């Protein structure tokens, strides 16, 4: 027996059996879609986003393509000719079935709970559908006319309008008819009357929900990758230990997201000048820092990894959705029937967006925890409180306002982490007794994306501030060492008769104290007796004097006798040396160059400082942090940070460093 779809009945049972497939439930294909690294996927997305033409053929639409069209740039949309014939066949079937008296939902019937009603006026039914669904209130004070936004990038579909030429719209506060509105928007094409089923297809909420989800996920993937790189930058400016990225730790945990995050951070840190210097300092003085770093850095791969996995899974779910058929009824031309089902149910959208929003909230929480450490002088390894960059800390509160704002952002982001899909209400006379809330969840996730961009841009500017402070710190410390050595030679090396003095042996201990002391603990007044530097230098001399024994009773060999002269000379020259070093950094003539230029994270620093022109913030200037933060936020909204982000990782081979 031959079945109506051309398949053959098996074993004479009369049952139409599908041809055996290797992956009948699609799990294999879903797993294959996750092959490769997240970084490679982001690169693919960016490349697709930048293509000038998006071709619709029903199988290869991606979130990047949807995001590109939604961005209203120069992207053109075209319908592939191979799809046009299939669309026409379905349309012809609908028209023929209606003329032949076939009963189909939404074509000859009413809608939802009132689908028991019947009509032969298919076009009028579609117009009524559009009319009764136009129940939204815009609160503009006008008389309730709909407001349509007409985009230039829909020109290929410009004749597909649900409007008649006499319908009234609002354009920039002025009422115009639809024909004039199209002219204003630069859309050229005629109007047509909706045919049977076309209105029903157009108002399917799953389409707009998955469309918004696509734009959200395009940004979420990039922001997740950015979080990995700036977490590595955080490690650099904190001069922390990169040991937490060692592949063995993450290999034993098995999670691919965690392994990739650690490998990316390992790549950034393996090429970092900051890490090389920190390693040298750690070997010389192992007790200067804790044995291991705090959770916000040390467990960042374990924290970010699951979020990457969630975002990737959501991305693939939405990409399946935007390539799916979600209409009802479905038209099967080959079998000559309309199949009534529920593919309009957008549960994959609601669930994917809820999960993505939770991941975004978790990323934001990590960024806030790292930011809080960075601005706190109890934890930031010698950087000034609030990352204050001015010469007078009493009149410079740096990023204090930004930290307060970050707390606010983080709180709102955590609130948005609450689920939408557990608030389903029965609707439309209990016909829609379960509904996905996919569009609402997409909207809330879009809000979360905006907040995460605020947090990411704020953190980026703060990291650049910290990088510049490290540059000042290194040059000032070098200047202080040089100045002290000069003073030692002048005041401690010899006695009054020109002979060598025992105090000259203090040189190594003095240098060690300078190395250990945080520059910004004394930089605004280096010779102040209230600040630690002078106290510790004096302690070195006092300890040498106490060890000098009976020689202290001889003026020619006494170390105590040298203390006042040493301090007097130091007070005369040290403030000038510190100021000169700082001024050299500000003028671009510093003796020691900025270490960031020798780091793989440099492209992001260069993007913020050079391409966007943000400045080093100090209380001496009237420029507010918000003005600089806004430069980065606007650039991120325009996607300008993407190339710098990917450049940081251009040398990564996609693998962790070997365990050896």
């Amino acid at each position: 027996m031959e079945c109506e779809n051309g398949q053959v009945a098996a074993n004479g049972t009369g049952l139409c059996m599908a041809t055996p497939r290797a992956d009948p439930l699609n799990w294999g294909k879903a797993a294959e879609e996750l092959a490769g690294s997240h970084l490679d996927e982001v690169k693919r997305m960016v490349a697709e986003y930048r293509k000038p033409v998006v071709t619709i053929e029903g199988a290869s639409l991606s979130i990047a393509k949807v995001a590109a069209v939604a961005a209203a740039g120069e992207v053109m949309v075209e319908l592939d000719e191979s799809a046009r014939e299939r669309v026409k066949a379905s349309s012809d079937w609908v028209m023929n079935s209606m003329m032949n008296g076939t009963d189909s939902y939404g074509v000859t019937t009413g809608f939802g709970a009132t689908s028991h009603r019947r009509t032969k006026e298919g076009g009028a039914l579609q117009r009524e559908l559009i009319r009764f669904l136009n129940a939204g209130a815009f609160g503009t004070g006008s008389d309730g006319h709909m407001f349509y936004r007409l985009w230039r990038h829909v020109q290929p579909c410009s004749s597909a309008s649900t409007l008649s030429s006499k319908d009234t719209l609002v354009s920039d506060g002025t009422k115009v008819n639809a024909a004039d509105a199209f002219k204003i928007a630069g859309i050229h094409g005629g109007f047509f009357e909706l045919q049977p089923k076309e209105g029903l297809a157009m108002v399917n909420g799953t389409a707009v929900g998955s469309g918004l989800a696509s734009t959200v996920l395009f940004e979420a993937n990039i922001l997740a990758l950015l979080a990995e790189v700036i977490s590595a930058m955080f490690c650099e400016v904190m001069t922390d230990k990169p040991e937490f990225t060692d592949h063995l730790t993450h290999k034993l945990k098995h999670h691919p997201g965690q392994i990739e995050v650690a490998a990316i951070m390992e790549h950034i840190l393996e090429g970092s000048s900051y890490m090389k210097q920190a390693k040298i300092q750690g070997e010389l003085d192992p007790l200067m820092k804790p044995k291991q770093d705090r959770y916000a850095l040390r467990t960042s791969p374990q924290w970010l990894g699951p979020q990457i996995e969630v975002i990737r899974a959501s991305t693939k779910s939405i990409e399946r959705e935007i390539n799916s058929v979600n209409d009802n009824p479905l038209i099967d031309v080959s079998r000559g029937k309309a199949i009534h089902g529920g593919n309009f149910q957008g549960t994959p959208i609601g669930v994917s967006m809820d999960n993505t929003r939770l991941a975004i909230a978790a990323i934001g929480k990590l960024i806030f925890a790292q930011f809080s450490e960075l601005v706190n002088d109890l934890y930031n390894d010698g950087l000034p409180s609030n990352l204050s960059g001015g010469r007078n800390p009493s009149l410079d509160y740096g990023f204090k306002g930004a930290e307060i704002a970050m707390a606010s952002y983080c709180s709102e982001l955590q609130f948005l982490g609450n689920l939408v899909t557990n608030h389903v209400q029965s609707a439309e006379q209990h016909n829609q007794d379960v509904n996905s809330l996919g569009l609402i969840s997409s909207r809330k996730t879009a809000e979360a994306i905006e907040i995460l961009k605020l947090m990411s841009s704020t953190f980026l500017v703060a990291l650049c501030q910290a990088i510049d402070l490290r540059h000042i710190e290194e040059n000032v410390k070098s200047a202080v060492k040089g100045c002290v050595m000069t003073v030692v030679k002048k005041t401690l090396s010899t006695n009054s008769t020109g002979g060598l003095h025992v105090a000259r042996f203090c040189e190594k201990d003095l240098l060690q104290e300078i190395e250990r002391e945080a520059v910004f603990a004394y930089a605004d007044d280096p010779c102040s007796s209230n600040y630690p530097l002078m106290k510790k230098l004096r302690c070195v001399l006092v300890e040498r004097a106490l060890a000098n024994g009976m020689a202290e009773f001889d003026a020619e060999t006494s170390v105590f006798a040298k203390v006042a002269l040493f301090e007097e000379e130091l007070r005369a020259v040290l403030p000038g040396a510190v100021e000169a070093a700082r001024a050299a950094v500000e003028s671009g003539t510093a003796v020691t160059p900025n270490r960031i230029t020798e780091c793989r994270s440099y492209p992001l620093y260069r993007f913020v400082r050079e391409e966007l022109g943000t400045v080093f913030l100090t209380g001496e200037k009237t420029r507010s942090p918000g003005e600089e933060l806004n430069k980065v936020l606007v650039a991120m909204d325009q996607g300008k940070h993407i190339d710098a982000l990917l450049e940081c990782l251009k040398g990564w081979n996609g693998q962790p460093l070997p365990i050896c």
Side-chain angles (χ1 to χ4, degrees):
M1 182 186 81
E2 185 173 342
C3 301
E4 54 187 295
N5 61 359
Q7 296 173 346
V8 179
N11 302 323
T13 60
L15 296 176
C16 293
M17 306 296 291
T19 304
R21 293 172 53 197
D23 186 26
L25 302 180
N26 227 37
W27 285 110
K29 184 174 184 294
E32 288 173 9
E33 290 170 347
L34 289 170
S37 72
H38 178 240
L39 175 60
D40 285 341
E41 184 152 4
V42 171
K43 289 178 179 178
R44 175 188 64 78
M45 289 179 191
V46 172
E48 287 186 346
Y49 182 87
R50 292 173 174 174
K51 288 181 178 178
V53 178
V54 171
T55 302
I56 308 295
E57 31 76 298
S60 61
L61 194 59
S62 67
I63 65 164
K65 293 176 181 178
V66 175
V69 175
E74 299 300 319
V75 180
M76 297 297 293
V77 183
E78 63 182 20
L79 180 64
D80 188 87
E81 289 302 317
S82 65
R84 193 178 299 276
E85 189 174 325
R86 300 196 305 272
V87 172
K88 186 177 184 305
S90 294
S91 178
D92 290 345
W93 188 93
V94 170
M95 296 300 294
N96 292 335
S97 68
M98 185 175 181
M99 288 188 293
N100 293 333
T102 303
D103 205 21
S104 298
Y105 173 77
V107 177
T108 60
T109 76
F111 305 100
T114 50
S115 61
H116 57 280
R117 297 178 182 176
R118 297 292 185 273
T119 183
K120 293 182 179 180
E121 299 182 55
L125 181 65
Q126 301 306 302
R127 290 194 296 275
E128 170 56 15
L129 172 66
I130 300 301
R131 188 203 66 79
F132 79 72
L133 287 178
N134 181 19
F138 291 89
T140 61
S142 66
D143 54 359
H145 296 292
M146 286 189 69
F147 175 78
Y148 279 80
R149 298 182 70 185
L150 306 173
W151 301 101
R152 291 180 181 273
H153 65 260
V154 300
Q155 285 184 9
C157 307
S158 62
S159 62
S161 169
T162 61
L163 301 168
S164 77
S165 61
K166 295 181 180 180
D167 282 337
T168 303
L169 298 90
V170 178
S171 173
D172 295 327
T174 303
K175 294 179 184 178
V176 295
N177 63 41
D180 289 339
F182 269 51
K183 290 179 182 178
I184 292 171
I187 298 176
H188 306 287
F191 294 84
F192 68 86
E193 293 292 325
L194 287 171
Q195 298 302 305
K197 198 176 181 293
E198 289 180 345
L200 183 61
M202 292 178 68
V203 299
N204 192 328
T206 305
V208 66
S210 58
L212 181 54
S214 296
T215 65
V216 163
L217 284 165
F218 178 75
E219 295 208 72
N221 277 277
I222 293 169
L223 287 171
L225 182 62
L226 178 64
E228 299 171 44
V229 175
I230 60 179
S231 289
M233 290 179 72
F234 171 68
C235 182
E236 290 181 295
V237 297
M238 295 283 282
T239 63
D240 284 332
K241 299 178 176 67
E243 181 185 4
F244 70 95
T245 65
D246 188 280
H247 178 50
L248 179 62
T249 298
H250 308 286
K251 179 182 178 181
L252 295 175
K253 193 72 169 176
H254 310 300
H255 297 295
Q258 175 183 331
I259 292 171
E260 180 173 351
V261 172
I264 283 176
M265 295 181 70
E266 180 183 49
H267 171 74
I268 296 290
L269 298 176
E270 190 264 341
S272 173
S273 178
Y274 293 101
M275 295 296 94
K276 293 171 184 175
Q277 181 65 19
K279 182 180 180 181
I280 293 171
Q281 291 302 119
E283 290 171 350
L284 292 175
D285 201 346
L287 300 181
M288 276 290 290
K289 296 198 70 173
K291 182 64 177 174
Q292 57 185 17
D293 298 308
R294 293 174 182 80
Y295 283 18
L297 176 65
R298 181 159 46 97
T299 69
S300 52
Q302 290 87 344
W303 185 273
L304 288 173
Q307 320 315 329
I308 300 296
E309 293 177 17
V310 165
I311 291 171
R312 286 198 76 183
S314 296
T315 298
K316 294 307 176 183
S317 177
I318 295 302
E319 287 195 332
R320 287 191 292 271
E321 185 67 27
I322 60 179
N323 285 289
S324 70
V325 180
N326 52 41
D327 201 4
N328 179 55
L330 301 181
I331 306 303
D332 187 348
V333 177
S334 65
R335 291 192 288 173
K337 62 169 67 175
I339 305 172
H340 296 79
N343 274 5
F344 53 79
Q345 183 69 273
T347 309
I349 305 169
V351 171
S352 295
M353 287 292 94
D354 273 3
N355 289 339
T356 299
R357 201 165 57 259
L358 284 167
I360 291 169
I363 293 171
K365 176 58 184 174
L366 182 72
I367 287 175
F368 179 54
Q370 292 174 348
F371 185 93
S372 296
E373 283 190 33
L374 185 63
V375 299
N376 191 329
D377 57 338
L378 296 176
Y379 306 131
N380 63 16
D381 194 32
L383 292 173
S385 176
N386 304 308
L387 302 181
S388 301
R391 289 168 171 76
N392 184 355
S394 297
L395 293 176
D396 188 345
Y397 293 89
F399 282 71
K400 182 177 285 294
E403 184 188 12
I404 295 168
M406 285 285 271
S408 178
Y409 300 152
C410 191
S411 295
E412 186 172 357
L413 193 56
Q414 304 310 302
F415 167 75
L416 287 171
N418 287 293
L419 301 180
V420 167
T421 52
N422 62 355
H423 292 279
V424 173
Q425 304 298 324
S426 180
E428 203 262 301
Q429 299 177 352
H430 295 297
N431 173 55
Q432 299 178 7
D433 43 9
V434 290
N435 41 83
S436 71
L437 306 184
L439 178 55
I440 297 175
S441 191
S442 295
R443 285 172 42 226
K444 294 301 153 187
T445 311
E447 290 181 32
I449 286 288
E450 293 306 310
I451 295 173
L452 186 58
K453 283 195 288 188
L454 272 170
M455 298 186 76
S456 299
S457 57
T458 302
F459 194 28
L460 257 177
V461 174
L463 287 169
C464 291
Q465 179 88 356
I467 287 167
D468 290 340
L469 285 166
R470 289 293 185 208
H471 189 205
I472 293 172
E473 175 186 62
E474 191 167 4
N475 278 274
V476 168
K477 183 172 287 188
S478 177
V480 171
K481 288 179 180 178
C483 184
V484 168
M485 289 305 95
T486 299
V487 172
V488 166
K489 289 185 175 70
K490 184 175 181 179
T491 62
L492 301 182
S493 296
T494 59
N495 56 28
S496 62
T497 63
L500 293 178
H501 197 286
V502 68
R504 71 186 187 279
F505 295 115
C506 295
E507 182 176 310
K508 180 180 177 181
D509 292 334
L510 289 170
L511 287 176
Q512 187 176 49
E513 289 302 326
I514 295 169
E515 185 63 44
R516 285 176 172 175
E517 188 53 51
V519 165
F520 296 104
Y522 61 80
D524 63 294
D525 188 1
C527 295
S528 171
S529 58
N530 295 319
Y531 283 173
L533 180 63
M534 291 298 285
K535 292 179 180 179
K536 291 183 177 180
L537 296 181
R538 178 183 291 177
C539 282
V540 169
L541 298 178
V542 169
E543 288 179 10
R544 173 64 63 178
L546 293 175
N548 202 22
M550 297 302 296
E552 278 302 306
F553 293 96
D554 185 342
E556 292 298 318
T557 57
S558 171
V559 176
F560 273 123
K562 292 283 189 178
V563 172
L565 180 62
F566 170 78
E567 291 185 349
E568 181 182 356
E569 184 65 25
L570 200 58
R571 287 191 180 95
V573 296
L574 186 57
V578 169
E579 178 56 30
R582 182 171 190 130
V585 171
E586 293 172 348
S587 65
T589 59
V591 174
T592 304
N594 198 329
R595 285 188 181 275
I596 192 63
T597 60
E598 303 171 16
C599 300
R600 289 169 177 163
S601 57
Y602 174 60
L604 273 176
Y605 174 87
R606 185 188 64 216
F607 166 72
V608 173
R609 281 289 189 249
E610 297 178 18
E611 294 180 35
L612 300 183
T614 65
V615 299
F616 181 69
L617 290 164
T618 75
E620 299 154 7
K621 303 174 183 177
T622 58
R623 196 155 190 84
S624 70
E627 294 175 82
E628 303 307 287
L629 302 176
N630 193 60
K631 291 178 183 177
V632 181
L633 179 61
V634 170
M636 289 181 69
D637 283 338
Q638 297 169 347
K640 293 181 178 180
H641 63 301
I642 296 174
D643 287 336
L645 171 62
L646 295 180
E647 188 181 347
C648 294
L649 301 171
K650 68 178 181 180
W652 185 48
N653 64 1
Q655 299 178 15
L657 293 176
I659 300 172
C660 57

